[in-house]
Amino acid sequence: MSRKLSVIGTGVIGNGWIARALARGWDVVAFDPAPEAPARTRAFVDNAWASLTRQGLAEGASPARLTFVDSLEAAVAGADLIQENVPERLDLKREILAALDAAAAPEVLIGSSTSGFKPSDLQRDCAKAPGRVIVAHPFNPVYLLPLVELVGGEATEPAEVERAAALYRELEMRPLAVRREIEGHIADRLMEALWREALHLVNDGVATTEEVDAAVVYGCGLRWSLMGTFLTFHLAGGEAGMRHMLEQFGPALKLPWTKLEAPELTEELIDRVVEGCEHQAAGRPVAELDRRRDDFLVELLGLVQKYWPEAEGLEGRI
């Protein structure tokens, strides 16, 4: 049975959902009031399609299965899943989600790509079936990175999150059900902590943007791509594992090494960060950097999947 994804808002994240669903053989109906949206989306899909082809397309996958419509109501008609991707403004998201809730059949799940808002706040103006409105937060590029954080709100039954997880698995995502609501969910809170520290290092003249990125690319990032944070530190404890690591290095957590509060974004710091990133980009346009990143991710995913726990028969582990 062919599935249909309704995509509301076609920025970078919305277009990423479109490309992923098309590559998995789904029909996609999109709505975005911007006149240039259809052309922009088709160019985005064309740019991503080579990487998706290398990764492997589902039977029947085709960019031709994308349709743009001129209303929310037309977009959600007959949808199996609705994905909202409008700008990160709570008032706007609540308005759009309330309209989607009113227009869509009550059993159709509505996922919000919000990176920070709690689902209970998003559900508040939905009158028909507020529980089916959940956070479904992906990561850029959505068409390649498999993680999607699922968070239910006060009106959400656990079965609705389970049903959402099953649908996102059909899109070959790896759903992570967040145990309770919290601003920023899980991954963004971790990334924001690293981002704050990185800004301090640049602001204090300790390192350039390139040097900070080198510390991640050639060091911790390689380990994190397979084992994450906790299992990496478990290995740091030697044969005794995490207990020994905490006994040995735990006291250092009290040392004033980190500055979790972000530095003031002065014009000087902004200029330093922008100039550093432009130096790293070396004149390459973003579309070229996107393709380079995607080529890398396709090869990396092909490698790490051989080492993911299910390859050892350990289902449901990391």
Side-chain angles (χ1 to χ4, degrees):
M1 181 183 68
S2 178
R3 291 288 198 187
K4 180 187 287 187
L5 176 68
S6 169
V7 174
I8 310 300
T10 59
V12 171
I13 298 300
N15 283 338
W17 280 114
I18 289 170
R20 174 174 280 274
L22 291 171
R24 303 275 54 83
W26 286 36
D27 293 314
V28 179
V29 179
F31 170 73
D32 191 311
E36 70 278 7
R40 184 182 61 203
T41 294
R42 296 187 194 283
F44 182 101
V45 172
D46 287 345
N47 195 54
W49 205 252
S51 296
L52 288 164
T53 300
R54 287 178 58 209
Q55 193 180 40
L57 300 173
E59 184 178 353
S62 171
R65 297 180 73 164
L66 168 64
T67 303
F68 267 82
V69 293
D70 57 7
S71 71
L72 289 175
E73 292 75 14
V76 303
D80 294 291
L81 177 64
I82 300 167
Q83 193 71 32
E84 170 272 308
N85 316 279
V86 301
E88 196 78 350
R89 285 175 25 217
L90 184 57
D91 59 339
L92 177 61
K93 284 191 177 287
R94 284 173 62 167
E95 177 186 347
I96 296 299
L97 288 166
L100 291 171
D101 176 58
E107 70 278 4
V108 180
L109 287 160
I110 303 173
S112 173
S113 294
T114 179
S115 60
F117 296 131
K118 296 193 291 186
S120 290
D121 293 332
L122 299 175
Q123 296 171 348
R124 212 161 302 282
D125 297 330
C126 298
K128 183 191 289 184
R132 48 82 172 267
V133 176
I134 65 170
V135 166
H137 174 231
F139 295 83
N140 187 42
V142 182
Y143 53 89
L144 292 178
L145 295 186
L147 181 63
V148 58
E149 295 178 311
L150 302 181
V151 196
E154 294 170 2
T156 305
E157 296 293 334
E160 290 175 300
V161 175
E162 293 172 9
R163 188 159 60 93
L167 273 172
Y168 286 105
R169 285 192 191 99
E170 290 188 36
L171 287 168
E172 295 196 1
M173 304 292 283
R174 294 180 74 93
L176 174 60
V178 180
R179 294 173 180 266
R180 64 183 180 88
E181 295 184 83
I182 186 172
E183 292 88 350
H185 324 313
I186 296 175
D188 270 5
R189 293 179 72 93
L190 296 172
M191 290 190 294
E192 284 290 328
L194 180 62
W195 175 231
R196 290 186 186 98
E197 290 298 314
L199 287 174
H200 276 294
L201 291 169
V202 173
N203 189 55
D204 296 345
V206 175
T208 65
T209 61
E210 188 171 39
E211 290 161 353
V212 171
D213 284 351
V216 177
V217 169
Y218 304 120
C220 53
L222 290 170
R223 300 180 302 188
W224 286 344
S225 67
L226 177 66
M227 293 187 171
T229 305
F230 281 99
L231 195 56
T232 292
F233 280 132
H234 177 67
L235 270 61
E239 289 300 319
M242 178 60 81
R243 185 170 298 280
H244 178 64
M245 198 286 293
L246 290 174
E247 289 171 352
Q248 185 171 6
F249 299 107
L253 293 171
K254 295 295 185 180
L255 298 176
W257 287 358
T258 63
K259 300 179 178 180
L260 283 181
E261 185 174 328
E264 185 71 26
L265 278 178
T266 62
E267 289 301 318
E268 181 184 1
L269 176 55
I270 291 171
D271 288 344
R272 197 179 297 177
V273 170
V274 170
E275 289 165 8
C277 291
E278 289 176 348
H279 171 75
Q280 290 177 256
R284 293 167 293 178
V286 168
E288 180 181 334
L289 293 172
D290 279 346
R291 289 192 296 272
R292 184 170 182 269
R293 175 204 62 197
D294 292 355
D295 288 343
F296 167 76
L297 286 174
V298 169
E299 291 191 36
L300 180 64
L301 285 166
L303 172 64
V304 296
Q305 285 170 5
K306 297 177 183 177
Y307 293 89
W308 280 350
E310 56 263 40
E312 301 177 79
L314 296 172
E315 296 290 338
R317 301 288 182 89
I318 175 65

